[in-house]
Structure formats: C-alpha cells, structure tokens
Amino acid sequence: MDYCTSPSATHHRTSSASSPDAAVLKALLLVQSDALDSKFQGASEIRRLTKTSQRCRRHLSQSIPHLVSMLHRLHSPESHLEAALLALLNLAVKDEKNKIKIVEAGALGPIIGFLQSESLILQENATASLLTLSASTVNKPLISAAGAIPLLVEILRCGSPQAKADAVMALSNLSTLPHNLSIILDSNPVPAIVSLLKTCKKSSKTAEKCCSLIEYLVGFDEGRIALTSEEGGVLAVVEVLENGSLQSRDHAVGALLTMCESDRCKYREPILGEGVIPGLLELTVQGTPKSQSKAKTLLRLLRDSPYPRSELQADTIENIVCNIISQIDGDDDQSSKAKKMLAEMVQVSMEQSLRHLQRRALVCTPTEMPINTCTSEVSSK
C-alpha cells in the first residue's frame, strides 16, 4: 500500500537535509572516506563551510587529523593538497583551539615543506597557514623548532608579493619570543625587510609589521649595522614615521630611538641625514602618547652634536626644535603656543627638507606595489 506524504513532512525532511548540521556531517563523512576523490570533495566542503562560520569551525574541528593526513600524501594531485591546506587554514582562523590541534596533529612538517615547493600556490597557502598558526603563543616555539624561520626569510626574499607580505607578518608574530628573535637575526632578514618596506604602501599592515620587526632587530648590534648598511634602510623607516599608520609610526620612532640610545655618536648623523626632524615634530603633536614621548626623547638626543658648533649653526632646526619641545610640557597657554609653532614648522619643513628630497630622488623609489594585507589572522580563503 502506498502512503501519501504530507507537504509539511516533505518540507521538514528537505530543510533538515539542507541544514548546516547535515552539511557538516556530510563533509565529515567525505573527508573520513578511504577514497581520495571523496576526501578531496570533503576538504573542499570544509573549506567552504568554515570560510565565514565560527560555529562550523568548531563543529568541524574533528576533521583536522583527516585533513592533516591528506597533506602527508605528497604524491597527491596539487589540487588535493591545496584543498586540505585551505580547509585547515580556514579552520584555524580566529580559533585558538584549532590552531593548537592542527600543530599537534602533525601539520607543521608538510606545511613547512610546501614553503620550498615549486608551486607558487602551495608556497603562498603554506605561508598564509604559518601566519595564522603563529598567532598562537603555544605554537610559536614549535614552529621555530620545526625550522620554519629561515624558510620564511627566504620567502621574504624570493616569494610572490602576497607570500612576502604574509611571511613578514608571520616573522613578526614569531619575533615576540626572544629565542625566535635570535634565529630571525641569524637568517639575515634586514635586506629583504627593507626591500619590502620600500615597495609597500607606508600606511599598510605590511609596513607596520616590517617596522615592528626592525624595531626588535635594532635592539642588537648586528641589526643596527645591517639597517644602516642597507641602501636606503634608515630612509625607509623615516618614510614610515612620516606617512605610516599610528602603529607603524610608533614602531618606526621606536626603532630610531633604540639606535640613537645604543650609540648616539654613531647613529645620530645617519638618522639626521634622512631628514627625520619634520616627521618627529609632527609626531610630538599628532602621535599616540607613547609615540609623542619617544619622539620628544629622540629630538633631545638629536639636538646637540658631540662636536663643537660654529656660531653660524647656532640657530639650526635642531636647537630651535629643542627649545620648543621644552615648552610643550609647560602651562596650557605656553604649551598651546609651542604646539602651534611645531605645526607651522612641520608645514614649512625648514632646512632639512631639501636634503631629504634629494636623498629620496637618488635612492628611491620603485612604484609602490599594492599588496593585499591582513591582520595577524589571515583572511579566510
């Protein structure tokens, strides 16, 4: 006997079959299959479902071991490796537990291996994955111990524009551990960082992470020597100090201050020679409280040469600036007048602007290259 199915029952089954829970279950069953094509289909579905859904990232975390096993099949078609890698990448975005699970499941070996792949697509996706995984404090020493840092520096030298941007952000994440910082320094990254800093947009996240790394690295004598030895290295930092985001400018002034404090006689002239004064003046007025403090301290360090000055040099911008800076912390009326004077001086740029422009014309600059940037969490793909 045939039984009629009511419209409401049909609708219930249809909506249930197409629900997110059903899609999650289907993706899990596919990725757990022994058939390679089914695994590929499951990885592609997991990538799609986790692109924007935090809920799906959590429910699909049990797929991580199966996706990692796909990465270990190095003779699989590139499309299969890419699907598994991107599924893991999306699972890790904004999910600390998944980041840790992915590393614990053994993903670092193949991911780091992909950094040396002849496939630019696998290189880029592996770099993006390490950027995301390195946002976890638990993962940072493990990524370093697996040998990722020298390969990330190599990507910074020779990778695609997007891979370079992701590599510098991953290195910036890793640099917060002192042990990792020494490994980064040993890999001689400064020339590649300066090269990227010259070509990226100065207000970008890439520029911010470049300056963050430089600020850490110039805390070491080798880092300071590398930056000043690199053609246009100090100038690139000065340009970020002038045109970067608030965070970038803070890192830039911090780097220059660290250099000057480490050896004032050695680094004062190289910093002054790049026309840093106008940018510092503006920062004392418009920067964050931290940036303002750093800028004032650096201006004071740059004020007087350790060598005798002639009478003709007595009223140079350095001395004028310091007189104004000394008034900024005075009473409200005096401080207001001092800030107005500073603003006017920034506009005029005074005597060092010409030298600064001439220097830029000689050293710089390739056309600024647009790079898709992201935060410490790489965008879902």
Side-chain angles (χ1 to χ4, degrees), residues 79 188 228:
S79 59
N188 189 30
T228 52

Side-chain angles (χ1 to χ4, degrees), residues 50-213:
T50 55
K51 188 172 184 179
T52 57
S53 171
Q54 188 63 34
R55 180 172 174 270
C56 284
R57 288 176 193 140
R58 182 48 48 87
H59 286 306
L60 285 164
S61 63
Q62 57 189 297
S63 70
I64 287 172
H66 304 284
L67 292 168
V68 170
S69 72
M70 290 178 67
L71 297 184
H72 284 277
R73 296 174 178 265
L74 298 181
H75 298 295
S76 296
E78 183 178 314
S79 59
H80 287 214
L81 296 173
E82 182 186 2
L85 195 53
L86 289 175
L88 287 167
L89 174 58
N90 284 355
L91 280 164
V93 170
K94 298 181 181 177
D95 194 308
E96 177 73 9
K97 289 183 179 179
N98 281 353
K99 287 181 176 67
I100 295 170
K101 282 184 180 179
I102 289 168
V103 171
E104 287 178 342
L108 284 183
I111 289 175
I112 291 171
F114 294 148
L115 294 179
Q116 302 174 81
S117 171
E118 294 181 0
S119 165
L120 291 180
I121 292 175
L122 287 179
Q123 268 191 26
E124 284 189 0
N125 290 330
T127 307
S129 297
L130 287 174
L131 163 58
T132 302
L133 294 174
S134 65
S136 165
T137 302
V138 173
N139 288 342
K140 291 179 184 184
L142 302 175
I143 292 171
S144 171
I149 287 175
L151 295 175
L152 285 170
V153 172
E154 188 60 28
I155 291 289
L156 195 53
R157 292 191 189 103
C158 306
S160 68
Q162 185 60 54
K164 287 181 179 181
D166 287 346
V168 81
M169 286 190 248
L171 288 167
S172 179
N173 285 345
L174 294 170
S175 70
T176 58
L177 292 186
H179 176 68
N180 287 353
L181 188 57
S182 64
I183 299 174
I184 294 171
L185 193 62
D186 289 342
S187 302
N188 189 30
V190 172
I193 296 171
V194 169
S195 177
L196 181 58
L197 189 55
K198 286 179 180 178
T199 55
C200 72
K201 191 173 182 181
K202 300 303 178 285
S203 58
S204 67
K205 199 73 175 178
T206 301
E208 178 188 330
K209 296 304 180 181
C210 284
C211 283
S212 171
L213 261 180

Side-chain angles (χ1 to χ4, degrees), residues 345-361:
M345 289 172 69
V346 171
Q347 291 177 0
V348 177
S349 295
M350 299 188 76
E351 68 178 33
Q352 296 226 13
S353 293
L354 180 58
R355 186 169 15 160
H356 189 29
L357 291 171
Q358 289 171 334
R359 174 70 172 162
R360 285 183 176 177

